[in-house]
Amino acid sequence: MRVMVVWCPDWSVVAALEEAGASPRSPAAVLHANVVEVCNGPARAEGVRRGQRRRDAQARCPELVLLPTNPDRDARAFEPVMTTVEELRPGVAALRPGLLAVRAPGSWYGSETFAAATVSQAVVDGGVWDLRIGIADDLFTAEQAARTAEAQSWTVVPPGGSAPFLRGIPIEVLQDDGPQGRELVSLLQRLGLRSLGDLADLPGDAVEHRLGAYGAAVRRRAGGEDRSLFAARTPPPELDAQVSFEPPLDSVEAITFSVRTTAGRFVAQLAHHQLVATGVRVEAESDGVVCSSRTWLHPRHFNARDLVDRVHWQLQSADVGGSLRARKESGAVRAPIDRIRFVPEVVESAAAHGEALWGSASDDLVERGVARVQGMIGFEAVLRPVLQGGRSPSARQALVPWGERAVELRPLDRPWPGRVPGPAPVRVFAAPRSAEVVDDRGHDVCVTDRGVVTGEPRRFRVVGQGGGPGGNGTALPWQPVKAWAGPWPTDESWWSGGDGRSARFQVVGADGRAWLLLRGPEGWSLEAAYD
Amino acid sequence: MPPTRLATLDPERPVVEQLRERVAAMERRPALEPVPTLPGLSDIVPLHAGTTYAVDSASLALALAAGASRAGEWVGFAGCPDFGAEAAAELGIELSRTVLVPDPGEHWLEVTAALVDVLRIVVLRPPASVDERTAGILDSRLRNRSAVLVVHGQWPRVEARLSTVESAWSGPAAGTGQLESRRARVDVHRGARPPQPFELSWPGVHRVDRVARVDTQHDLHSATG
């Protein structure tokens, strides 16, 4: 089996630069824990090396672009390269981001050199400039061959030529195996071995006795006898379904009726793979040209009937007159439909959608439904309430955007002295509305520094400003106070400015509704309602 | 006992029998399915999937949603920017299964419809007046999805409308004590029939008197049967 390895050097830097939108020619390094993990050619030319500390690297090259490490990003950015190669030759295996292996295309492209040239051309067309290709009998040799190649070039090791090719390669290449490899290389260097050929010349038994199974495996690799295979990823199955009409149909009803079996087949075919479609693109072709294409989303998943409905709606919306011909007569370019195709756009596991026998439908369904709402009105418009510690009602709760984790919550299990006892208010106003509270003689009620209330609250009213009912800047009528409790004084964050001394009151109005009012340094405000 | 969507097994009865009950419940029209309600409210307003209820206070809206949330269902609040999370948690609403859309803006109808698709109870405070047609669209969606809509505000057609007639807090006096408990008289309006009064008490929504009970049950039978 011949193996082709495609290697994109310094892939982390390439991917990070692309994400950061910086020029691929600028010197850059990806850092992990303040140590250079990967750097690119321009940075190496300035003296930046892997394993250097950040300040050393910056001292060597002040204009060095520093990028954070992110393995997910590397893998994500490598996906298009894999797809490109997969189009030319299926059975691609990703060894790690930046390195992929595929069974070398045989005589299809004429020769292996032409095959390498074709792959190289395709990947460069995809926007990746630096790639090197190696072709050999085994994976290890192919990788080493790729490393010896120039940018956008290739090295082909002839069949049976692995051992002679590997002979001259320095033993340091084994360091890429991780800590185990680095330890082995250091030992071998101390033993005086300089190249892979030196290692391969040692007797196999002796190597196994001295260096163990790993050492023996490395020796086999160095001798061009690498037995490791790679698991190629399976291309996703073809799940489209289509139906052709001969002669072409021009009435919506006839088309709808005729797509029934196909819709059933489409759903059954997905079900065979334990899948359901939640988004389907319906395409209608007329005379070989797609004349109507639309993606339909389903809150749960499509069954055959839903699909037939979608076809009906799609064709009818495209067609005002009731028949496609009528539309044609009205001037729009519409021809009889000769083909309808269903393309699954979003496919999910059927297990997540099954109606649960015990308990309600799965939470995944809710997640997806809520994600749809977020798609409509924005990520931060859908929230999840969480409780946290605090003194005022609004401080005791936090609203976290759906799908995000709540961070930096205040602990709930502390006493929080000064918080208002009793049942929690049902309505907590995000923006407190300013209010007025007066005593018998109409004087503003205050709280002294020692927590004494200057007068008995008799009447109160909301002045407005906040949102919600009655908060349009107009003052509401005065309401007599039926009962009141308080004050609960607090002086929060006095060490760092804070809001100043304030006190909270529970006030029951004449209509029997209770409110939570705050007397701050600036005046009264309405914080919450007990409703 | 009506089959509920509880995920628990009654150990005293055969498993097969309970399974059969659940399968039977799932085969029925979703609209007939009962939705768990708080014990204090279950004989005043037993919730049924696919219907709309109207309330006039946030505490009643929370009380209607609490039963289902306690039973493991998902609930959502749309258009309620002043949601009191602590009060909801005290009533038994599981906040990890609560979705808030405080300000759906002009898309409130689409947002509500999307929430109805996946949640069991959706509490809505409509930002604008609603006409019959709009309500009809949402109604058919509710029936399909076996969800319950609780409207805090005005709505054209509802199964029952709960309104607070009077309310009294006990606890505070002139500067002493603290809010402790509340009693409220709530009228339940069903269609054109005269309203039925009930006494409820907080915290924890309990029914106080049982005077009107006979009438209620009679009315419920005629309403659901």
Side-chain angles (χ1 to χ4, degrees), chain A residues 357 383 397 427 484 506 531, chain B residues 22 58 82 85 100 173 175 182:
Chain A
L357 190 57
L383 304 170
Q397 64 186 36
R427 298 172 66 190
W484 62 281
Q506 289 173 336
D531 218 357
Chain B
R22 294 193 50 78
D82 48 9
L100 286 188
R182 172 191 178 206

Side-chain angles (χ1 to χ4, degrees), chain A residues 233-256:
Chain A
R233 66 172 188 179
T234 330
E238 198 64 42
L239 296 168
D240 297 7
Q242 54 180 1
V243 57
S244 309
F245 308 120
E246 186 60 45
L249 298 175
D250 62 355
S251 112
V252 174
E253 277 69 31
I255 295 172
T256 315

Side-chain angles (χ1 to χ4, degrees), chain B residues 11-23:
Chain B
E12 311 212 328
R13 296 190 302 143
V15 176
V16 175
E17 189 185 305
Q18 294 178 60
L19 262 175
R20 276 204 197 107
E21 261 178 24
R22 294 193 50 78
V23 171

Side-chain angles (χ1 to χ4, degrees), chain A residues 2-7 99 101-102 132-148 155 157 162 165-166 226:
Chain A
R2 301 283 285 168
V3 180
M4 173 195 276
V5 163
V6 178
W7 178 50
L99 189 67
V102 62
R132 294 133 201 250
I133 293 175
I135 298 180
D137 281 342
D138 59 284
L139 196 57
F140 181 71
T141 314
E143 188 183 335
Q144 297 313 321
R147 285 178 193 276
T148 59
T155 305
V157 180
S162 295
F165 173 78
L166 290 173
D226 187 13

Side-chain angles (χ1 to χ4, degrees), chain A residues 456-460 479-485 506-513, chain B residues 166-170 172-175 183:
Chain A
E456 181 126 329
R458 284 289 174 207
R459 291 178 298 152
F460 72 100
Q479 206 184 141
V481 173
K482 203 160 121 193
W484 62 281
Q506 289 173 336
V507 173
V508 182
D511 59 356
R513 298 211 283 176
Chain B
E166 59 177 71
S167 143
W169 277 96
S170 61
R183 281 171 79 121

Side-chain angles (χ1 to χ4, degrees), chain A residues 10-27:
Chain A
D10 313 321
W11 182 253
S12 301
V13 179
V14 174
L17 278 174
E18 189 180 304
E19 192 183 60
S23 153
R25 305 253 178 265
S26 47

